[in-house]
Amino acid sequence: MTPPSPEEPLLLAELKPGRPHQFDWKSSCETWSVAFSPDGSWFAWSQGHCVVKLVPWPLEEQFIPKGFEAKSRSSKNDPKGRGSLKEKTLDCGQIVWGLAFSPWPSPPSRKLWARHHPQAPDVSCLILATGLNDGQIKIWEVQTGLLLLNLSGHQDVVRDLSFTPSGSLILVSASRDKTLRIWDLNKHGKQIQVLSGHLQWVYCCSISPDCSMLCSAAGEKSVFLWSMRSYTLIRKLEGHQSSVVSCDFSPDSALLVTASYDTSVIMWDPYTGERLRSLHHTQLEPTMDDSDVHMSSLRSVCFSPEGLYLATVADDRLLRIWALELKAPVAFAPMTNGLCCTFFPHGGIIATGTRDGHVQFWTAPRVLSSLKHLCRKALRSFLTTYQVLALPIPKKMKEFLTYRTF
């Protein structure tokens, strides 16, 4: 069943960097990355000038309407209550390109971490990784703002970061040095693998929610799919006509979306490598000048947490929202100089970052998933496409479970 058409996104709030004149004018001011913590209790953004802002969520009540708060914050996670979470400024010393929150570590991970950091406060809570201009990765403890680790290995900008969703504290980094690196924070940030093969800067990395696959996008027309078990290349996905700059897996790991400067998003089955659908970004108002073909170049794509919508940011100054089963956007919002986007973990909000260091928060579709979709999402979280096709069930059911009913 196609979800109902949402209303146009409304701007809920905008955060701007403070006191810009006190910084070196040569420093970059772009917000290259925005991120919510997995539990929805923190928001981070690289606001330019080598600074990362950590902001407790929700924002002040006058900005965020009732119902958009972090649902999972509890007395267990925040024993001192809402007042113990305070905004923090992390001075990274270098331009910040990538951000990633860790999941909440599992108890074994907490014990191992404590063994390696006996002098540090309790770090069994959230960790933030920051990818820097000089190739360094700094690891911060969110609650205190304490710098825990400095990971060295990359030879150029660390453009993107991704933690395994399982809580194992395995971190993947993507760099302009054309490599991806795998780090184990349980082993004091030991580098355990280098993935080579890209011929251009690596822009983006995304780990599937089931932790089986890693997708990497570089300044190339193809994207690479890697095994997170053996750290070997599974396949290349070819179909774009220009550089691929962003990628994301669906919440059930059954779909992969890639966004390119060729103005399109391609939806793939990562298990078979099949191209399922293309979403084309055309200008709302056609121009007479053919040189404006790059006005709709994509910058970022992400799935909504329930897996029924996509959000994209393009150079044509629009935030678009797409329903999974439709070929045209269902909603638009005007935004200038957008670079990145991400959904709030519990839905209802999209955060976007811009070239001027600002962050904007928009309303996003809040939909009650159908029982059919919930069943599909649950099954696909542990069944590959090949396993579904091998089931003794009707063909139409297989098509639905493998997202072939578009």
Side-chain angles (χ1 to χ4, degrees), residues 54-282:
L54 272 171
V55 181
W57 193 271
L59 301 179
E60 297 297 329
E61 292 181 2
Q62 65 263 34
F63 292 121
I64 301 300
K66 186 176 180 181
F68 289 102
E69 65 276 356
K71 298 178 183 177
S72 64
R73 179 183 290 142
S74 65
S75 58
K76 181 179 179 181
N77 293 340
D78 185 18
K80 297 179 182 179
R82 177 66 175 85
S84 68
L85 300 182
K86 299 185 182 301
E87 180 179 309
K88 295 174 179 62
T89 300
L90 307 179
D91 186 356
C92 297
Q94 291 280 332
I95 296 169
V96 182
W97 291 80
L99 295 173
F101 282 99
S102 71
W104 288 91
S106 60
S109 298
R110 297 179 186 185
K111 292 178 182 178
L112 285 168
W113 186 271
R115 187 186 307 165
H116 287 295
H117 299 275
Q119 79 286 355
D122 177 17
V123 289
S124 62
C125 48
L126 284 175
I127 297 165
L128 179 70
T130 56
L132 307 183
N133 198 65
D134 63 355
Q136 301 287 310
I137 301 169
K138 290 189 175 182
I139 308 296
W140 309 81
E141 200 280 300
V142 172
Q143 188 75 19
T144 63
L146 177 71
L147 178 62
L148 298 173
L149 289 172
N150 198 350
L151 309 181
S152 300
H154 283 296
Q155 305 302 309
D156 207 334
V157 171
V158 177
R159 186 61 184 86
D160 197 20
L161 297 160
S162 184
F163 277 98
T164 51
S166 63
S168 62
L169 293 181
I170 298 296
L171 175 68
V172 177
S173 56
S175 171
R176 283 187 180 177
D177 66 10
K178 306 175 187 177
T179 70
L180 298 110
R181 294 174 190 252
I182 317 293
W183 315 82
D184 189 346
L185 300 193
N186 280 320
K187 298 179 179 177
H188 208 72
K190 179 182 178 182
Q191 180 179 290
I192 58 177
Q193 194 75 32
V194 178
L195 304 182
S196 303
H198 283 294
L199 302 177
Q200 302 294 333
W201 295 350
V202 188
Y203 286 114
C204 182
C205 59
S206 180
I207 301 174
S208 61
D210 66 1
C211 299
S212 68
M213 294 173 286
L214 165 68
C215 179
S216 58
E220 302 158 354
K221 297 178 183 179
S222 59
V223 295
F224 288 13
L225 267 181
W226 310 82
S227 167
M228 281 297 289
R229 297 185 177 94
S230 62
Y231 299 122
T232 56
L233 183 65
I234 300 173
R235 65 173 55 88
K236 296 181 184 179
L237 300 177
E238 298 179 340
H240 283 290
Q241 303 304 310
S242 187
S243 300
V244 184
V245 294
S246 183
C247 57
D248 195 24
F249 283 94
S250 61
D252 59 5
S253 304
L255 297 172
L256 171 69
V257 288
T258 55
S260 167
Y261 287 159
D262 67 9
T263 76
S264 71
V265 167
I266 297 180
M267 193 178 300
W268 310 84
D269 183 322
Y271 294 104
T272 66
E274 289 179 73
R275 177 174 171 170
L276 302 180
R277 163 165 293 182
S278 294
L279 305 176
H280 298 284
H281 292 61
T282 55

